[in-house]
Amino acid sequence: MKDVDLNRISADEWDELNDPRPEGCDFDEVVERAISRRGFLGGVVAFGSGAAAMGTAQLLGSTAAEAMEASRFPFKPIAAQTDATVHVPEGYKWDVLVRWGDPLFSDAPEFDHETGGDADSADRVFGENTDGMETFVHDGHELIAVNLEYTNREVNLPQTEEGVPASLDDVRKLQKLQGVTVMEVEKGEGGWGVVVDSPYNRRITHLTPMKIAGPAAGHDLLKTEADPSGAESLGTFNNCGSGKTPWGTYLTCEENFNGYFGASAEGDMPEQVQAGYERYGIGPEGWGYDYHKWDDRFDTAKNPHEPHRAGWVVEIDPSDPESTPVKHTGLGRFKHENAEVVLAPDGRVVVYMGDDERGEFMYRFVSEAAYAPGGSTEGLLDEGTLSVAKFNDDGTGEWLPLTPETTGMESLAEVLIFARMAASKVGATTMDRPEWIAANPHAVEAYCCLTNNKNRGVKPNAGGDETPVNGPNPRETNNYGQIVRWRPHEDDHAADGFDWDLYVMAGNPDVYQNVYGGSENVTNGNMFNSPDGMAFDSAGIVWIQTDGDDSNEGEFAGMGNNQMLAGDPVTGEIARFLTGPRGSEVTGLTWSADRTAMFVGIQHPDAPFPDGEGKLPRSAIVVVWREDGDLVG
């Protein structure tokens, strides 16, 4: 690995350093492939249901597009911003709901900007880097379950040298600041706030006992010296996107778990384990966490199977603080972004999932049994078929089942533990970092944010699969991203086939007059890069959150800070609603039960957000409402 500061690079950059891939093709081949696709590009980008497909010319900037009115949006779009605070439209207000270090229980101390808090109380306060979240109502109590994805170590450990853990105590603090928070919220005279000491308040961390369920539970690859059963584990890691089941539980998704593991010494690994390490990016050095130097559980030289116990979707019951979270192996092991749950017409449970790494895949799980309200839900997220998406250039696609028969792998457990390798074996379509997936509540269709992929047409993925330009990923060296949409055949999310198009191709029409300028619904008034988070509201508007380059320079000039936009699936119109503070990602979105408040995550902001100059920057959830008290989505 190169000599770099691991605390100052992203998970994607760490993966590149940890496992560099060879160049897949030279520049001449890239150009030739781009030319061969020009005719194809004109037919793939379309506006929503019933609208006309865009032609090639419509991929360019358009003064007509700039004049589009956001007729379904109850707000005046705002301009891009570059400052250190949050902006919302005229007629709307915002405030901080909760931030890293705020007490969830009265026995936790108030936040200390000198130390960033202590290890003992780190699991009694709101954790770091809020991400996916969902709202639940139980016996009249309004609950929010929210992910705490990772730590900003230089900020969280301000007394250490550049955020490098110097003791087991430092590691324990980081482990407790991550995971999930379940908290009760309520609206009082002063606005929305957390109910401190609510019996529903709960912190789930890297140290919380978990149950492992499904076809891979008990397999030898999941067994460790501490857990010879292979059915019990500790902790949930790098919790990114989320999901919500029809029966009222929360799904939290483990993404860049590989960065927590390292090795104290070299050693011989079984061929299968070593191949898995290489495909999932598990190397001798962790991503700056140094867990393995202080906690043997994360030392792969001592516990080679421990990484197999991470990378799953975890189910949590927010209404029962004594319940044990469950890792569902039936949903496959990879870098999960989120888990979008819908029901097929026959009641079977369908879960859509993206694997957030360059050149990886999109997955779908369909349960064997149907969901019956009030009935048992055991097995619904484990007993079924995991499939992977193949997109054809003619606008059609299919779900390819991952089984021992289709992959040639020995057992279903191995298929699920090494889902990436299984997907490669069946010829799935490599994608530009599949992130959040959202299903339209008013139409049988789903959307996936393909956030970006600088390696498209340049390098293979971690498994050696080539990443040429293809239908849903139509640009080489894609620094902007796009959103793909599909409609399952026969209006059935469990159907094997689907038709697809692109809802939007992000880009910069002020810099480029070609496909890098974006699709027609991108203008200099709403341009953005790296769509990431996504959710539909009750009116059928899709909300798009970004995690991209906020330098506001070069090919990103005019885009400003990361933001949240509203999109109309029918007309294709997109309008900017919110901008985050400088340095932040806008991620995670849910609403109050009465829909008069919107809760939005602000991750890793630069100072002075939100506490002012001279204070540590703190990730937070902000609440947005209309001044007239009307609905917000």
Side-chain angles (χ1 to χ4, degrees):
M1 183 176 288
K2 298 178 181 178
D3 185 15
V4 297
D5 185 347
L6 298 178
N7 288 308
R8 290 189 171 91
I9 64 174
S10 70
D12 295 321
E13 292 168 329
W14 184 82
D15 281 337
E16 290 278 305
L17 288 170
N18 188 49
D19 185 24
R21 267 90 74 186
E23 298 290 326
C25 52
D26 62 26
F27 181 75
D28 290 339
E29 291 174 318
V30 170
V31 172
E32 182 179 355
R33 185 153 51 238
I35 293 173
S36 70
R37 296 283 175 166
R38 285 177 182 167
F40 165 66
L41 279 172
V44 299
V45 183
F47 284 152
S49 309
M54 295 186 227
T56 306
Q58 291 175 302
L59 290 170
L60 307 179
S62 166
T63 55
E66 294 174 17
M68 287 194 305
E69 295 184 2
S71 56
R72 290 188 67 201
F73 306 145
F75 63 88
K76 181 180 179 180
I78 66 173
Q81 305 291 333
T82 59
D83 59 12
T85 190
V86 171
H87 292 267
V88 294
E90 180 182 348
Y92 291 76
K93 294 288 187 181
W94 73 273
D95 197 3
V96 172
L97 174 74
V98 65
R99 75 207 86 189
W100 158 49
D102 284 348
L104 299 174
F105 303 93
S106 56
D107 62 0
E110 291 298 321
F111 186 74
D112 184 345
H113 281 273
E114 293 297 320
T115 65
D118 58 36
D120 290 341
S121 62
D123 57 358
R124 306 290 286 172
V125 301
F126 189 75
E128 178 66 300
N129 278 333
T130 172
D131 207 311
M133 55 182 145
E134 307 286 346
T135 303
F136 302 84
V137 177
H138 180 70
D139 289 343
H141 298 269
E142 196 149 347
L143 313 176
I144 293 178
V146 53
N147 291 343
L148 306 163
E149 187 177 10
Y150 62 99
T151 54
N152 302 316
R153 293 177 292 283
E154 289 181 278
V155 175
N156 306 134
L157 300 174
Q159 295 177 313
T160 65
E161 184 176 350
E162 297 185 337
V164 177
S167 66
L168 178 60
D169 201 49
D170 288 341
V171 167
R172 288 287 186 252
K173 178 180 176 180
L174 297 181
Q175 290 173 333
K176 291 178 180 181
L177 287 177
Q178 300 170 76
V180 175
T181 288
V182 179
M183 60 189 179
E184 183 177 356
V185 298
E186 66 178 6
K187 185 179 181 181
E189 291 184 2
W192 284 91
V194 175
V195 180
V196 175
D197 289 329
S198 166
Y200 298 101
N201 290 356
R202 181 184 187 188
R203 282 298 320 283
I204 296 165
T205 73
H206 290 183
L207 304 170
T208 302
M210 307 264 159
K211 176 184 176 183
I212 302 175
H219 192 276
D220 286 347
L221 288 167
L222 297 184
K223 294 177 180 178
T224 64
E225 184 176 347
D227 172 31
S229 73
E232 298 176 353
S233 67
L234 290 180
T236 180
F237 308 97
N238 207 258
N239 303 84
C240 190
S242 59
K244 186 176 184 178
T245 67
W247 49 94
T249 57
Y250 181 69
L251 300 180
T252 182
C253 301
E254 299 181 332
E255 191 190 32
N256 293 303
F257 64 89
N258 57 314
Y260 296 101
F261 297 93
S264 59
E266 294 183 5
D268 293 331
M269 295 282 184
E271 183 178 349
Q272 184 185 44
V273 173
Q274 183 59 42
Y277 278 17
E278 292 173 2
R279 184 62 189 271
Y280 285 83
I282 299 162
E285 295 186 53
W287 176 34
Y289 282 100
D290 283 356
Y291 280 11
H292 65 289
K293 296 179 181 178
W294 304 98
D295 187 339
D296 284 351
R297 182 158 63 102
F298 298 88
D299 185 345
T300 57
K302 299 175 181 177
N303 287 289
H305 289 174
E306 191 66 36
H308 301 152
R309 296 148 65 84
W312 305 100
V313 173
V314 184
E315 184 179 16
I316 297 168
D317 184 352
S319 70
D320 181 3
E322 301 301 320
S323 60
T324 300
V326 180
K327 296 196 172 191
H328 287 288
T329 62
L331 300 179
R333 174 175 166 266
F334 43 89
K335 292 184 179 180
H336 289 273
E337 181 71 17
N338 79 316
E340 180 72 346
V341 182
V342 295
L343 294 177
D346 62 4
R348 285 182 293 166
V349 178
V350 178
V351 187
Y352 288 117
M353 300 166 286
D355 185 353
D356 182 12
E357 189 173 310
R358 299 181 187 98
E360 290 298 337
F361 308 115
M362 235 172 60
Y363 296 82
R364 183 195 69 172
F365 172 86
V366 180
S367 67
E368 287 183 5
Y371 165 64
S376 173
T377 60
E378 187 173 357
L380 286 181
L381 296 180
D382 283 307
E383 297 167 7
T385 301
L386 183 68
S387 301
V388 66
K390 181 178 181 180
F391 289 81
N392 302 315
D393 285 358
D394 64 359
T396 65
E398 57 187 312
W399 293 101
L400 308 175
L402 299 177
T403 67
E405 293 74 24
T406 62
T407 63
M409 298 171 76
E410 289 189 7
S411 67
L412 178 58
E414 292 177 15
V415 168
L416 298 171
I417 294 169
F418 300 117
R420 282 184 169 181
M421 287 109 103
S424 292
K425 289 177 180 293
V426 300
T429 301
T430 60
M431 306 293 281
D432 288 347
R433 288 186 57 197
E435 300 222 33
W436 284 74
I437 296 175
N440 190 336
H442 298 300
V444 186
E445 61 182 18
Y447 296 62
C448 181
C449 288
L450 304 173
T451 192
N452 57 52
N453 184 359
K454 69 180 183 181
N455 291 340
R456 173 64 58 183
V458 177
K459 294 181 180 180
N461 69 9
D465 301 315
E466 294 299 331
T467 61
V469 165
N470 59 44
N473 309 280
R475 295 177 291 189
E476 289 104 348
T477 317
N478 176 19
N479 291 323
Y480 290 132
Q482 62 271 1
I483 297 177
V484 65
R485 165 176 53 194
W486 62 97
R487 300 181 179 90
H489 290 169
E490 301 177 354
D491 288 339
D492 183 353
H493 281 292
D496 291 334
F498 57 87
D499 298 313
W500 68 269
D501 61 20
L502 292 177
Y503 172 67
V504 63
M505 288 171 60
N508 194 325
D510 286 350
V511 174
Y512 293 106
Q513 296 301 307
N514 54 27
V515 293
Y516 293 94
S519 48
E520 190 186 47
N521 47 350
V522 172
T523 75
N524 66 2
N526 69 4
M527 58 184 173
F528 62 95
N529 73 89
S530 301
D532 185 333
M534 183 165 50
F536 275 90
D537 66 18
S538 57
I541 297 299
V542 60
W543 296 85
I544 303 163
Q545 301 174 313
T546 70
D547 176 23
D549 191 307
D550 64 355
S551 65
N552 205 41
E553 297 176 348
E555 62 183 328
F556 304 103
M559 292 183 175
N561 295 345
N562 280 299
Q563 57 193 279
M564 184 167 74
L565 309 105
D568 187 336
V570 177
T571 67
E573 298 168 29
I574 295 174
R576 186 182 294 113
F577 176 80
L578 176 149
T579 57
R582 183 175 54 249
S584 72
E585 170 188 353
V586 179
T587 182
L589 172 64
T590 191
W591 287 265
S592 61
D594 63 6
R595 296 279 170 168
T596 62
M598 169 188 281
F599 303 106
V600 183
I602 303 296
Q603 191 182 99
H604 58 73
D606 289 342
F609 185 85
D611 295 332
E613 296 292 344
K615 305 294 186 180
L616 291 175
R618 299 164 73 184
S619 60
I621 297 175
V622 300
V623 55
V624 180
W625 68 95
R626 284 176 58 151
E627 292 183 87
D628 62 8
D630 210 341
L631 303 183
V632 186

